[in-house]
C-alpha cells in the first residue's frame, strides 16, 4: 500500500528564512510525487511535480529514493507563501493520488 | 478559477439522510475525481471516472456512489449519512485517461457537508 507522511502539521517561520516542508513516502513501485498548495480561500492547486524538475515560486523539491523523501524547499520564505501544502504520490496505474496530511506554513513578517 | 464547478458549496443535513453533490469538470476534461477531506483523515481519494466509466476506486464506502453523465458532469451520492461523514468533498478533473500520475489535476472549491 502507498502512504505519504508529512510529519509537521504546522511550520512557522519568519519572512526571509529558509523553509523545508518534509514529505516521506512508502511505495513499492516507481514513485511519481507532487506538491499541491491551497492558499487561503482558494482551491487546491498543483505547485510542482518531481518529473518536471521545475522551480515554481522559488520552491524546489528533490526526490530522494534512498530516503524515500520529497521535501519541499525554499531559500527565502515570503509572506504570500503562507498556505496549506500537501505532498502527494501517484500510483502505477496513474489513477489515484495519495495525499499526505498536509502542513500549514505560516510566514510571519 | 480552475474551471471546475462544485455545487452546493455548503450542505447541512441530518443523520440517516441522503445527499447528492455535483461537479462540472473543466471544459474538455474527461476525467473526474472525488476526494474527501476530513480533519482526522486528511485528503482521501474516493473514486475516478473517465468519459462516463468508473476508472479507479479508493476508500469509498458502500453507502457512497458516484456516476459521470454523458455531458461529463459527475454526481457523488452519499446515503445513510453518519456524523463521521461530515467533511469537505472535493472534485477534480483532468484531460485524459492517464490520471493523476501524469496529468495536472484541477480542483473545485469543494462542498462542505455537515451532518448533524
Amino acid at each position: 500500500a502507498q502512504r505519504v507522511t508529512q510529519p509537521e502539521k504546522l511550520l512557522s517561520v519568519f519572512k526571509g528564512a529558509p523553509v523545508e516542508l518534509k514529505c516521506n513516502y512508502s511505495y513499492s513501485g516507481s514513485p511519481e510525487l507532487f506538491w499541491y498548495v491551497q492558499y487561503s480561500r482558494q482551491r487546491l492547486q498543483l505547485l510542482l511535480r518531481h518529473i518536471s524538475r521545475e522551480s515554481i515560486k522559488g520552491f524546489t523539491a528533490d526526490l530522494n529514493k534512498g530516503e524515500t523523501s520529497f521535501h519541499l524547499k525554499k531559500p527565502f520564505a515570503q509572506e504570500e507563501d503562507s498556505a496549506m501544502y500537501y505532498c502527494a504520490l501517484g500510483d502505477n496505474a496513474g489513477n489515484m493520488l495519495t495525499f499526505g496530511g498536509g502542513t500549514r506554513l505560516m510566514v510571519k513578517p | 478559477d480552475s474551471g471546475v464547478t462544485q455545487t452546493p458549496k455548503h450542505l447541512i443535513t441530518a443523520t440517516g439522510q441522503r445527499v447528492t453533490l455535483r461537479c462540472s469538470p473543466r471544459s474538455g476534461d474527461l476525467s473526474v475525481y472525488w476526494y474527501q477531506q476530513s480533519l482526522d483523515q486528511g485528503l482521501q481519494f474516493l473514486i475516478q471516472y473517465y468519459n462516463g466509466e468508473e476508472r479507479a476506486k479508493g476508500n469509498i464506502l458502500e453507502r457512497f456512489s458516484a456516476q459521470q453523465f454523458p455531458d461529463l458532469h459527475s454526481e457523488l451520492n452519499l446515503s445513510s449519512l453518519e456524523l463521521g461523514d461530515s467533511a469537505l468533498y472535493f472534485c477534480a478533473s483532468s484531460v485524459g485517461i492517464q490520471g493523476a500520475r501524469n496529468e495536472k489535476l484541477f480542483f473545485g472549491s469543494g462542498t462542505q457537508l455537515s451532518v448533524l
Side-chain angles (χ1 to χ4, degrees), chain B residues 66-86:
Chain B
Q67 53 185 325
Q68 187 180 27
F69 294 87
D71 68 352
L72 301 176
H73 90 271
S74 177
E75 292 182 355
L76 179 67
N77 300 296
L78 315 176
S79 61
S80 303
L81 284 167
E82 302 174 0
L83 296 177
D85 298 328
S86 296

Side-chain angles (χ1 to χ4, degrees), chain A residues 90-104:
Chain A
D91 71 339
N92 271 332
N95 298 314
M96 187 169 76
L97 266 184
T98 298
F99 283 86
T103 297
R104 180 167 297 283

Side-chain angles (χ1 to χ4, degrees), chain B residues 69-116:
Chain B
F69 294 87
D71 68 352
L72 301 176
H73 90 271
S74 177
E75 292 182 355
L76 179 67
N77 300 296
L78 315 176
S79 61
S80 303
L81 284 167
E82 302 174 0
L83 296 177
D85 298 328
S86 296
L88 187 56
Y89 291 84
F90 283 108
C91 167
S93 72
S94 68
V95 172
I97 201 170
Q98 297 267 359
R101 182 182 176 92
N102 295 318
E103 294 189 350
K104 188 173 178 176
L105 289 189
F106 293 87
F107 281 81
S109 55
T111 292
Q112 180 68 56
L113 174 66
S114 298
V115 182
L116 305 178

Side-chain angles (χ1 to χ4, degrees), chain A residues 30 32 34 36 38 43-44 46 49 86 90-92 94-97 99, chain B residues 1-2 4 35 37 45 48 55-56 98-102 104-105 107-108:
Chain A
S30 181
E32 288 289 343
F34 307 81
Y36 276 80
Q38 189 173 26
R43 301 154 191 249
L44 196 62
L46 178 67
R49 49 188 144 181
Y86 292 94
D91 71 339
N92 271 332
N95 298 314
M96 187 169 76
L97 266 184
F99 283 86
Chain B
D1 186 356
S2 68
V4 178
Y35 286 85
Q37 185 180 38
F45 169 72
Q48 180 204 0
R55 174 80 179 161
Q98 297 267 359
R101 182 182 176 92
N102 295 318
K104 188 173 178 176
L105 289 189
F107 281 81

